[in-house]
């Protein structure tokens, strides 16, 4: 059941590019039936509000309530959870929260403006969103760390109201999730989930206020719903399965690397773990460690399926070639398990998070290093970033012309507007040109 | 034909909220047939590459070519266009480009990192995208200013290759658009458009390289295609019709305000122009100006349709109420045509761009003020920002633990991982705890 046979690739093989493409290929095509179902749910919640939320919650989560207000979790209940969890867990959550808060405060962007010689003022005003929605999965695995990672950046940004939704299938509540919400300063919590929760946050209902942006991971229904409501609200990203790429120089304890690969593979069967090393013999040793350690793992079957279907051990000529392959992959998590990570990181262009050196296990980043664990997957690190404070701030351009500045700029704008055939634009600008025929002046 | 009858609202009326909602309502529902058609085009280009691009270009743009390479516009041709356009247009474009470049350079984000007492290093590495795609509409109205506004932030960010696509329906090339591409430093230009151009940029073909992000405005086919490829590549935003909101204290020449409202309305029939003023009599005067000036406008019919169907003149109690209504609307363009714009801007939370004072016509911002004219529409300024350099940069978290730091953090991560049932995460962290049973150490 837990036999492993991991794909071996060599960057030197003739078909390496194609083989790597096949390995990375991830079917993100939208399932037609999921789509239809999600659209139906969105439509129902948009038009029937609370009543639709109650019906879907009864149907999908087997939770019956007479009113959505019954599904709200009070601040007292959150504090109760915080008081009830084991003290070591509470300590760990609080320490993690402190570190996450400290790191994220450094991401704050501020307004700026400058004045030109003629008194023209240009700038950018930075403001927080009014309200953010945070989706937290229930079901299979509940992740209190997700609550911290999603809510803290929003609160650091200054979002006035963070509204969390978390399904409680069959009524099962995760106390650590509620405790994390208390620590992170979540303002309101509703025990709803699925596409109906996304719809409620996007459109608002009588009981649940609409938000400006929805963040947080979820299953295919949640992801599809987020994609559909994108535009009505902001969304963070559509996450694929989790991945780790380890570049190792062949000098780290192979058991450590095996366990680091496991730590992604245990997330789910589609998670991807890749090791790149310029030493083929070391790849053998890691594979041995994998075989030895696997039977000792609680989630051995998930790990085995993930490793057999999506993992790879890749042999390269040197660390520079490893970096090139890594840039091609643009991994979510990148471990540089090498003697001189500082030198190697210079060659890395695309990665969600980079873990420097042998001691920096990816798992530390998942919980308490400080940086966010919500990271771009499936190669999207080519164009996107970890979740951050910047996701909860937005900018407004500031433009203020003096009378003279407006007159000078008006001449340029007039030429360009007439070049584009937009006469009202041109005349609007021309009114502000000093001494122009159009100019009436300020009354 | 060009009669106008503009909706009047008062913030004091009992049904103001509902009336405002109806006014703002914008049907962004996706047309099923457009969707199907776009999916077909995406699929064809994804699977058949160049050949499909050629077929769709022949069908939709009536441009026949034997190879996609024939549709590429050389750098020489761009320079030719720049040399050929009237000198005042070239001057205006170059001055606008300089100002846009100067403003956007101030948006550059840089990498940062910090070291903790125990040697742990945390930070964020900021890098440009490798390649960006820029969609420029052809057809009805061609906008060279769009080329500047989309390409310059990418080049300022350090994007190595900016690839522009612009359809040339019936073979019509806009020389100013090509000249703008030359000035902005666009690297490659293909005369293709529609969903097929978006597909080519997202997936790549033999001739057209795939990009990491696609920006720029387009019709419903382009917008739908961008929404579909979102995830494979980044996209900027799904733009709705353009809008302007003017808050006036009643002391600006009403002709100026009328023309400012026209400058949005002339974009298209669905553009929205709203004026808010605490002086109802002034609203009458602006309406008079509108009636007087409209017959003199080249695009009078478009303006009339836009004003009749989507504009409003809104009476409020005072400027603070005007700001509250504006925040509710979250306009793309906001003119503060008042005596003290600096005081009023303090009350503004959501807007794409804010134009300060009577002299700062919105049209100046469209062309040459410096800030970007690609702005969030349809209320999305609640959660999104003007296009900027930050759209062409992305971040990677940097995490580097010292042996001691990893040991301390490992203890916290272990507790949290075990709390989440993720044993491989826990053990991966525990390997790094000094003196732990798991610790094997570095070889």
């Amino acid at each position: 059941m837990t036999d492993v046979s991991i794909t071996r690739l060599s960057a030197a093989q003739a078909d390496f590019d194609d083989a790597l493409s096949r390995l990375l290929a991830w079917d993100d095509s939208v399932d037609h039936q999921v789509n239809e179902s999600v659209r139906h749910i969105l439509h129902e919640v948009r038009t029937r509000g609370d009543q639709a939320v109650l019906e879907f919650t009864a149907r999908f989560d087997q939770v019956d309530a007479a009113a959505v207000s019954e599904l709200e979790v009070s601040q007292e209940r959150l504090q109760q959870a915080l008081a009830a969890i084991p003290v070591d867990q509470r300590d760990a959550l609080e320490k993690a929260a402190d570190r996450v808060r400290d790191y994220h405060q450094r991401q704050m962007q501020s307004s700026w403006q400058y004045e030109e010689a003629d008194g023209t003022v240009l700038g950018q005003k930075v403001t927080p969103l009014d309200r953010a929605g945070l989706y937290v999965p229930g079901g299979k695995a509940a992740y209190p760390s997700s609550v911290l990672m999603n809510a803290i950046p929003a609160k650091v940004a200054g979002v006035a109201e963070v509204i969390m939704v978390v399904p409680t299938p069959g009524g099962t509540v995760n106390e650590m999730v509620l405790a994390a919400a208390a620590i992170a300063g979540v303002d309101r919590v509703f025990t709803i989930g699925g596409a109906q929760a996304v719809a409620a946050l996007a459109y608002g209902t009588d009981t649940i206020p609409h938000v400006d942006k929805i963040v947080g991971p979820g299953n295919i229904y949640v992801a599809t719903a987020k994609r559909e409501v994108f535009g009505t609200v902001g969304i963070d990203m559509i996450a694929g399965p989790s991945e780790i790429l380890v570049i190792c120089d062949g000098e780290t304890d192979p058991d450590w690397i095996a366990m680091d690969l496991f730590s992604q593979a245990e997330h789910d069967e589609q998670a991807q773990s890749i090791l790149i090393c310029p030493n083929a013999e070391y790849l053998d040793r890691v594979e041995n460690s994998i075989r030895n350690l696997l039977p000792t793992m609680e989630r051995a079957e998930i790990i085995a399926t993930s490793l057999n279907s999506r993992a790879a051990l890749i042999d390269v000529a040197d660390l520079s070639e490893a970096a090139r392959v890594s840039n091609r992959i643009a991994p979510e998590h990148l471990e540089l398990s090498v003697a001189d990570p500082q030198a190697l990181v210079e060659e890395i262009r695309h990665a969600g998070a980079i873990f420097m050196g042998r001691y920096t296990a990816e798992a530390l980043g998942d919980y308490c290093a400080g940086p966010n664990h919500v990271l771009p997957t499936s190669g999207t690190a080519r164009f996107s970033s970890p979740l951050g404070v910047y996701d909860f701030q937005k900018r407004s351009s500031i433009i203020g012309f003096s009378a003279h500045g407006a007159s000078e700029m008006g001449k340029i704008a007039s030429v360009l507007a007439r070049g584009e055939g937009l006469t009202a634009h041109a005349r609007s600008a021309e009114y502000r040109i000093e001494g122009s025929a159009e100019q009436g002046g300020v009354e």
Side-chain angles (χ1 to χ4, degrees), chain A:
Chain A
M1 282 307 253
T2 56
D3 276 2
V4 282
S5 159
I6 303 179
T7 302
R8 284 282 185 122
L9 297 175
S10 165
Q13 72 193 66
D15 66 341
F16 176 67
D17 267 2
D18 288 344
L20 185 60
S21 292
R22 277 195 302 277
L23 181 76
L24 300 174
W26 165 246
D27 181 15
D28 63 347
S29 63
V30 182
D31 182 297
H32 184 67
Q33 211 176 320
V34 171
N35 240 338
E36 286 305 299
S37 166
V38 164
R39 278 188 196 150
H40 170 70
I41 294 169
L42 295 178
H43 175 77
E44 292 295 305
V45 173
R46 188 172 199 168
T47 51
R48 297 197 299 119
D50 279 351
Q51 190 52 40
V53 171
L54 289 172
E55 288 167 19
F56 291 122
T57 302
R59 190 190 310 170
F60 297 124
D61 294 337
Q62 291 79 49
V63 172
D64 288 302
V68 172
S69 57
E70 291 176 20
L71 300 175
E72 181 161 7
V73 180
S74 68
Q75 288 292 330
E76 294 68 37
R77 179 68 184 80
L78 300 185
Q79 290 300 328
Q80 230 173 63
L82 186 58
I85 62 171
V87 69
D88 66 329
Q89 290 192 354
R90 179 180 176 149
D91 275 0
L93 278 177
E94 286 178 340
K95 280 198 184 111
D98 284 347
R99 291 188 62 87
V100 171
R101 203 174 287 118
D102 180 53
Y103 177 86
H104 283 79
Q105 270 158 358
R106 298 163 199 256
Q107 290 178 334
M108 280 290 278
Q109 299 173 123
S110 308
S111 303
W112 50 268
Q113 70 182 37
Y114 61 99
E115 193 172 326
E116 301 187 323
D118 65 2
T120 296
V121 171
L122 298 175
Q124 206 162 254
K125 177 175 163 137
V126 180
T127 42
L129 309 193
D130 285 348
R131 215 184 270 132
L134 160 54
Y135 192 96
V136 177
K140 260 205 252 181
Y143 297 127
S145 56
S146 254
V147 177
L148 302 185
M149 292 293 184
N150 282 278
I152 290 175
K155 295 310 286 186
V156 168
V159 173
E161 204 173 6
V162 174
I163 299 180
M164 177 173 129
V165 292
V166 54
T168 53
T172 313
V173 176
N174 183 303
E175 296 295 320
M176 263 183 98
V177 162
L178 298 189
I183 290 171
V186 168
D187 297 282
R188 297 181 74 179
V189 177
F190 293 91
T191 55
I192 58 174
Q196 60 274 20
V198 173
L201 291 173
Y203 306 126
T205 70
D206 285 344
T207 310
I208 302 168
H210 71 85
V211 301
D212 301 307
K213 187 166 190 166
I214 301 175
V215 300
N219 64 18
I220 182 70
Y221 289 89
V222 172
T224 304
K226 281 169 67 182
R227 187 186 275 269
E228 287 287 321
V229 300
F230 170 53
T232 301
V233 295
I235 62 171
D236 50 349
M237 56 183 84
I238 308 291
S242 195
E243 337 128 30
I244 190 171
L245 173 63
V246 180
I247 298 179
C248 185
D249 57 11
E251 302 296 328
T252 307
D253 184 329
D255 284 358
W256 291 24
I257 300 297
M259 197 59 76
D260 295 355
L261 298 173
F262 287 177
S263 75
Q264 282 311 299
E266 75 173 342
H267 274 296
D268 64 74
E269 290 85 349
Q270 275 122 10
Q272 185 158 57
S273 304
I274 297 176
L275 169 63
I276 306 182
C277 180
N279 176 348
E281 186 266 335
Y282 180 77
L283 295 177
D284 294 335
R285 293 172 59 205
V286 172
E287 193 160 7
N288 269 337
S289 290
I290 287 173
R291 284 185 213 286
N292 293 338
L293 290 167
L294 187 59
T296 73
M297 302 308 300
E298 292 181 11
R299 297 162 77 95
E301 300 227 359
I302 293 174
I303 294 172
T305 306
S306 160
L307 294 183
N308 285 327
S309 58
R310 302 213 69 217
L313 304 173
I314 304 177
D315 179 22
V316 289
D318 52 32
L319 290 179
S320 282
E321 185 165 52
R324 283 197 300 279
V325 173
S326 174
N327 285 330
R328 158 85 191 282
I329 295 173
E332 181 191 13
H333 303 103
L334 173 61
E335 272 188 26
L336 303 183
S337 199
V338 298
D340 187 357
Q342 207 61 56
L344 189 54
V345 79
E346 297 299 319
E347 301 181 48
I348 300 299
R349 285 205 318 280
H350 315 301
I354 305 170
F355 300 83
M356 311 275 288
R358 308 184 206 288
Y359 286 99
T360 311
E362 184 275 320
L364 301 178
D366 280 349
Y367 292 107
C368 50
N372 213 284
H373 78 195
V374 181
L375 298 168
T377 58
S378 309
T380 59
R382 288 182 294 116
F383 54 83
S384 48
S385 301
L387 189 71
V389 171
Y390 35 79
D391 286 299
F392 299 98
Q393 297 184 305
K394 31 67 179 192
R395 308 166 181 91
S396 305
S397 303
I398 297 284
I399 307 171
F401 282 114
S402 60
H404 182 67
S407 181
E408 290 305 301
M409 282 304 113
K411 295 169 195 166
I412 299 175
S414 164
V415 171
L416 292 173
R418 289 185 183 276
E420 294 184 350
L422 296 174
T423 333
H425 283 69
R427 289 178 63 184
S428 164
E430 288 157 12
Y431 273 135
R432 277 82 172 183
I433 298 175
E434 288 156 352
S436 76
E438 292 270 29
Q439 177 141 34
V442 177
E443 304 208 331

